[in-house]
């Protein structure tokens, strides 16, 4: 998935342009149940908090899922997206991350876990667990989350700015971004499906409906009727209005995103780009047609596990932060 460089609120898959790292760092591996002995109730604690939060504020599901993507695709899944900088030079201060929300929920989970198991559970693992639980809370799939990540100590605004793929990325850039991270073309189209609960500012796609080539034209890859509907919601140069990526289903995790893209109603260029590759096009059309025979939920869990292994710190690497927004 692409990232909105103009304060997009959608759940977007983002990518870092640094070498992919495995989950076998430092001789240690991620595994399901890593905290079985040291913090046996970790998943129950996280789920209890998230179920309560999403029942009251369902709009937080999308940004909390998106947060895991943003963490993993800059410096790997090390919790660096959570770090504060007194000079506003951290990842969270970068333009693509300015619309991230839900940091206070991560802090709430961390506080509860520190009370139950002081100094045991990493912030990086909390982000991964929360991503799974918010997905389930909006009727999406569940999967077993591997844990054992440790927290990084570096967070750089420039790395986030230049390593996140924008919403206007074409299929070549998208495939290259995934493959460089050890993620497949199938992972690309599967994880793009999380746009089913995404929303975006008009500024992220206004050029597609008003000035695609700089001549006051529209993007020919978009359905003309869809363009008309978007123009009713977004005026030229509109920076603030929000639009649902999956109208009518924005708070339910399902396969309807694929149906829309197949009908040439993908909001971003990077959504429409999935029709420009035979493998991604075939997948989205199959998922959109076969709602009850769809493999999307199963595939999504598998791809999330793969993404969660990107360049992790384990063993003696990194640290376990006491507070997620600052290093120890």
């Amino acid at each position: 998935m692409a990232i909105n460089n103009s304060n997009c609120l959608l759940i977007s898959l983002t990518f870092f342009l640094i070498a992919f790292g495995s989950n076998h760092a430092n001789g240690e591996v991620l595994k399901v149940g890593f905290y079985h002995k040291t913090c046996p109730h970790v998943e129950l604690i996280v789920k209890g908090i998230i179920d309560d939060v999403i029942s009251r504020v369902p709009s937080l599901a999308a940004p909390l899922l998106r947060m895991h993507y943003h963490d993993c695709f800059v410096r790997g899944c090390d919790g660096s997206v959570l770090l504060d900088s007194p000079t506003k030079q951290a990842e969270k201060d970068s333009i693509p991350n300015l619309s991230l929300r839900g940091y206070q929920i991560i802090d709430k989970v961390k506080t509860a876990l520190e009370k139950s198991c002081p100094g045991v559970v990493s912030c990086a693992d909390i982000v991964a667990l929360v991503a799974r639980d918010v997905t389930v809370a909006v009727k999406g799939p569940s999967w077993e989350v591997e844990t054992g990540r440790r927290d990084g100590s570096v967070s750089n605004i420039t790395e986030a700015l230049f390593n996140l793929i924008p919403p206007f990325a074409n299929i070549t850039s998208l495939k290259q971004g995934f493959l460089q991270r050890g993620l497949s073309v199938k992972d690309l189209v599967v994880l793009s499906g999380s746009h089913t609960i995404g929303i975006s500012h008009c500024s992220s796609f206004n050029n597609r409906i008003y000035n695609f080539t700089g001549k006051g034209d529209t993007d020919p890859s978009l359905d003309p009727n869809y363009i008309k509907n978007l123009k009713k919601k977004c005026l030229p140069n509109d920076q603030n209005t929000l639009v649902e990526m999956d109208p009518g289903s924005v708070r339910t995790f399902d396969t309807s995103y694929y149906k829309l893209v197949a009908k040439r109603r993908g909001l971003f260029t990077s959504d429409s780009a999935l029709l420009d590759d035979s493998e991604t096009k075939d997948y989205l059309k199959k998922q959109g047609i076969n709602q009850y025979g769809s493999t999307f939920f199963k595939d999504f869990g598998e791809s999330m596990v793969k993404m969660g292994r990107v360049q992790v710190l384990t063993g003696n690497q990194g640290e376990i932060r006491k507070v997620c927004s600052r290093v120890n």
Side-chain angles (χ1 to χ4, degrees):
M1 286 184 171
I3 285 306
N4 175 2
N5 281 335
S6 303
N7 294 332
C8 167
L9 288 179
L10 81 118
I11 314 167
S12 280
L13 275 178
T14 58
F15 323 105
F16 59 98
L17 300 179
I18 54 181
F20 168 75
S22 79
N23 66 328
H24 291 266
N26 200 33
E28 301 286 341
V29 296
L30 300 182
K31 64 180 182 181
V32 175
F34 179 84
Y35 299 109
H36 176 67
K37 294 182 179 179
T38 56
C39 193
H41 302 300
V42 55
E43 296 202 22
L44 287 176
I45 292 171
V46 176
K47 178 175 170 35
I49 293 173
I50 294 304
D51 285 350
D52 176 64
V53 168
I54 300 304
S55 70
R56 292 182 290 106
V57 193
S59 62
L60 278 175
L64 284 169
L65 176 55
R66 182 182 175 213
M67 189 179 292
H68 187 34
Y69 302 145
H70 283 233
D71 186 36
C72 289
F73 293 122
V74 179
R75 287 193 165 264
C77 311
D78 69 344
S80 55
V81 72
L82 304 173
L83 288 172
D84 287 338
S85 164
T87 56
K88 302 298 182 183
Q89 295 297 307
E91 289 175 29
K92 63 169 56 174
D93 302 305
S94 187
I95 291 174
N97 287 336
L98 292 179
S99 58
L100 280 181
R101 297 186 299 130
Y103 295 110
Q104 76 279 14
I105 307 305
I106 302 298
D107 292 339
K108 185 174 183 179
V109 172
K110 179 62 171 175
T111 298
L113 289 173
E114 283 297 302
K115 182 178 180 179
S116 179
C117 321
V120 173
V121 182
S122 70
C123 298
D125 277 344
I126 290 173
V127 172
L129 290 166
V130 166
R132 188 267 311 277
D133 290 345
V134 296
T135 302
V136 173
V138 290
K139 302 181 180 180
S142 183
W143 60 92
E144 291 191 313
V145 177
E146 295 177 338
T147 46
R149 300 168 189 81
R150 289 174 64 86
D151 298 322
S153 59
V154 176
S155 187
N156 186 289
I157 188 174
T158 304
E159 290 180 354
L161 179 63
F162 289 104
N163 291 325
L164 300 181
I165 292 179
F168 50 81
N170 60 28
I171 191 62
T172 300
S173 297
L174 290 168
K175 289 169 65 175
Q176 182 181 25
F178 268 85
L179 293 173
Q180 286 177 340
R181 263 131 234 111
L183 298 172
S184 68
V185 175
K186 181 179 179 180
D187 294 323
L188 162 62
V189 66
V190 169
L191 293 174
S192 294
S194 63
H195 280 177
T196 182
I197 55 171
I199 57 177
S200 172
H201 283 111
C202 294
S203 55
S204 297
F205 57 86
N206 251 3
N207 69 305
R208 300 189 76 194
I209 61 177
Y210 286 113
N211 197 29
F212 188 60
T213 65
K215 300 179 181 179
D217 54 345
T218 60
D219 185 343
S221 70
L222 280 177
D223 171 25
N225 290 325
Y226 185 50
I227 292 176
K228 292 179 182 178
N229 289 333
L230 289 176
K231 284 185 174 181
K232 292 177 182 178
K233 299 175 181 179
C234 300
L235 297 175
N237 302 315
D238 187 336
Q239 299 291 314
N240 298 315
T241 302
L242 294 173
V243 174
E244 297 178 356
M245 297 197 72
D246 188 357
S249 182
V250 70
R251 292 184 179 177
T252 303
F253 197 100
D254 54 27
T255 61
S256 54
Y257 163 80
Y258 293 118
K259 297 177 183 178
L260 292 175
V261 175
K263 294 178 180 178
R264 297 167 56 206
R265 296 183 178 183
L267 193 61
F268 289 168
T269 299
S270 55
D271 295 313
S272 298
L274 298 177
L275 293 171
D276 296 333
D277 175 83
S278 59
E279 183 176 351
T280 55
K281 182 179 181 179
D282 181 63
Y283 183 88
L284 71 87
K285 287 196 170 184
K286 286 182 178 178
Q287 303 309 314
I289 293 173
N290 301 314
Q291 179 178 357
Y292 298 103
S294 171
T295 62
F296 173 51
F297 276 26
K298 174 179 175 292
D299 295 338
F300 189 80
E302 292 175 352
S303 291
M304 287 292 286
V305 170
K306 287 180 64 178
M307 186 190 73
R309 296 171 178 168
V310 171
Q311 205 171 358
V312 295
L313 302 175
T314 61
N316 297 324
Q317 299 175 323
E319 64 181 6
I320 303 297
R321 288 184 217 138
K322 296 177 181 178
V323 177
C324 288
S325 59
R326 63 175 185 263
V327 296
N328 292 341

